């Protein structure tokens, strides 16, 4: 099964012009699902419409969220696009391998995160993703702008050879809203119990816990089981 | 054999900024051979250097030509990148098939032509190429800028699976300077003999003749044979 209609999510994009160029790049490859997380210069944006070169219908349909967690809530698998590999215990997929690296069930909803123009994605956003996606380029000169990264990802997916749907026997992953509900409950519980201590280390510790549970590609049933375990342990 | 180090040739590029962005796109993929045919705003260009984001060494080495014929003189195979297929009797290669569509001998020198920002390549330039290269995109919305087209071509070549060098038993094609020398002699001869008549149809007739001989992928020996035939016929 191919990743036929992924949702592209721009996290904290700065210039409206770049958002417009991303929309244009997407539509060139036939992709139309765009989400924005807290665009710096507000939304809607005249400069985005101007730069989209006619892809403005896509911009009109774009939805805006306050946080990455909300933007990926209905996604089942999320890729975080980064310029270089980070020191995070998360599987890395190189772009040429993206179309074939795993079977995608028809009911799955794929989200692909892109960070801000200069800084890229924050570790907090990457921690929420299932996979890190890197674009292999000249190691001595890797300098893509945001819309170029979006273009290469979309073009690669558009022209990937179809992968036969393989029934792996696995249930599809739960959506992120379910997983994050569990993780938020777990975090509160661990704070209550004094586990996330000292407080200044709490974000890093939670990120590691998030990463661990995200990597498991938990099904809806499995997340429910974990919720039950948590309830039982808190009794 | 892969197309490992093609020469990219920008024909009549307008804005220096776009030339700089093309250089940046190329270097991201490890390609460094850039030629310019009559850039509209002159050369060298401060705005090109600024837009190259550090790829300025590539711009410094770029060579400038007055005509496409001069720019491709030492190439053995030339691709003309166009947004849509033209009514020209020339084989069309779609970008995903470019890395594998023919065996390339080590001594061959591949040139890839890109037209001006808005207008693309003129028919006169396409006629000089061996193949038309198209980038398959959304048929309802194909709107790449120059640097994006360059990026997709370079990225595709960079990440193509290696094709084993196959000894086809064929001699490699002659370089374009040899072929064009013959075609120019042929044109003069045909004008002398009153074949290229009426004069207003001469460019189109010559383009068709060029296309015919270009498609044959003539070897050096074969071009020499044609030169001999022409000499003999003119006696």
């Amino acid at each position: 099964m191919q990743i036929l209609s992924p949702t592209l999510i721009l996290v904290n994009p700065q210039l409206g012009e770049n958002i417009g160029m991303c929309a244009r790049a997407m539509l060139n490859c036939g992709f139309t699902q765009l989400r924005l997380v807290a665009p710096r210069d507000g939304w809607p944006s005249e400069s985005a419409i101007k730069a989209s070169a006619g892809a403005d219908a896509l911009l009109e349909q774009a939805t805006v969220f306050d946080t990455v967690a909300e933007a990926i809530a209905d996604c089942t698998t999320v890729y975080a696009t980064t310029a270089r590999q980070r020191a995070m215990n998360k599987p890395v997929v190189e772009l040429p391998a993206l179309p074939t690296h795993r079977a995608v069930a028809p009911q799955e909803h794929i989200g692909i995160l892109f960070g801000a123009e200069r800084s890229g994605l924050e570790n907090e956003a990457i921690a929420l993703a299932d996979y890190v996606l890197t674009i292999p380029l000249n190691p001595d000169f890797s300098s893509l702008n945001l819309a170029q990264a979006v273009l290469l990802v979309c073009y690669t997916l558009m022209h990937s050879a179809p992968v036969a749907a393989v029934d792996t026997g696995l249930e599809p992953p739960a959506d992120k809203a379910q997983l994050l509900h569990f993780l938020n409950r777990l975090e509160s519980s661990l704070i209550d119990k004094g586990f996330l201590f000292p407080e200044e280390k709490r974000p890093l510790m939670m990120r590691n816990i998030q990463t661990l549970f995200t990597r498991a590609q938990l099904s809806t049933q499995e997340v429910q089981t974990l919720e039950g375990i948590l309830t039982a342990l808190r009794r």
Side-chain angles (χ1 to χ4, degrees), chain A:
Chain A
M1 196 67 193
Q2 279 181 277
I3 301 172
L4 285 177
S5 54
T7 295
L8 273 73
I9 303 159
L10 307 183
V11 181
N12 303 131
Q14 299 181 341
L15 294 172
E17 188 190 346
N18 289 327
I19 301 171
M21 290 186 67
C22 287
R24 178 182 172 185
M26 286 173 64
L27 194 55
N28 264 296
C29 303
F31 296 133
T32 56
Q33 305 301 315
L34 177 64
R35 294 179 181 180
L36 307 173
V37 176
R40 186 191 65 183
D41 295 347
W43 196 258
S45 156
E46 269 307 310
S47 57
I49 293 168
K50 208 174 149 196
S52 76
D56 38 305
L58 198 157
L59 293 171
E60 275 164 36
Q61 293 164 18
T63 42
V64 180
F65 297 84
D66 290 331
T67 65
V68 176
E70 292 166 277
I72 64 171
D74 62 350
C75 295
T76 54
T77 299
V78 174
Y79 296 85
T81 312
T82 69
R84 51 200 73 76
Q85 298 183 15
R86 312 289 183 103
M88 207 177 283
N89 196 9
K90 217 167 253 297
V92 174
V93 179
E94 296 212 322
L95 179 56
L98 175 61
T100 53
H101 95 282
R102 59 185 281 276
V104 177
Q107 68 269 42
E108 284 198 56
H109 177 191
I110 307 291
I112 306 178
L113 300 171
F114 293 85
E117 285 89 335
R118 290 187 182 281
S119 49
L121 286 170
E122 307 275 340
N123 283 339
E124 285 67 24
I126 300 174
L128 296 175
D130 299 282
Y131 301 98
V132 166
L133 176 66
T134 64
I135 304 177
L137 295 168
N138 180 355
D140 298 325
F141 185 87
S142 296
S143 163
L144 288 187
N145 66 34
L146 182 55
Q148 288 174 326
V150 166
L151 177 67
L152 289 182
V153 169
C154 291
Y155 183 83
T156 298
L157 291 175
M158 179 190 196
H159 289 293
S160 54
V163 178
V166 176
D167 186 357
T168 58
L170 293 174
E171 286 180 62
D175 68 32
K176 295 306 174 191
Q178 289 181 296
L179 180 65
L180 291 175
H181 179 271
F182 164 70
L183 287 170
N184 288 337
R185 268 188 76 212
L186 179 63
E187 180 173 13
S188 318
S189 304
L190 293 177
I191 291 170
D192 286 352
K193 301 291 182 185
F195 178 84
L196 291 175
F197 183 85
E199 201 173 322
E200 66 268 24
K201 291 212 174 163
R202 190 183 290 171
L204 179 62
M205 291 169 84
M206 263 320 290
R207 220 154 63 211
N208 290 340
I209 293 170
Q210 258 175 7
T211 292
L212 174 169
F213 281 106
T214 304
R215 205 170 53 247
Q217 294 260 297
L218 300 165
S219 70
T220 297
Q221 183 56 54
E222 288 167 336
V223 176
Q224 281 165 0
T225 302
L226 287 173
E227 294 269 16
I229 289 174
L230 182 57
T231 303
L233 292 177
R234 289 196 59 167
R235 248 176 231 144

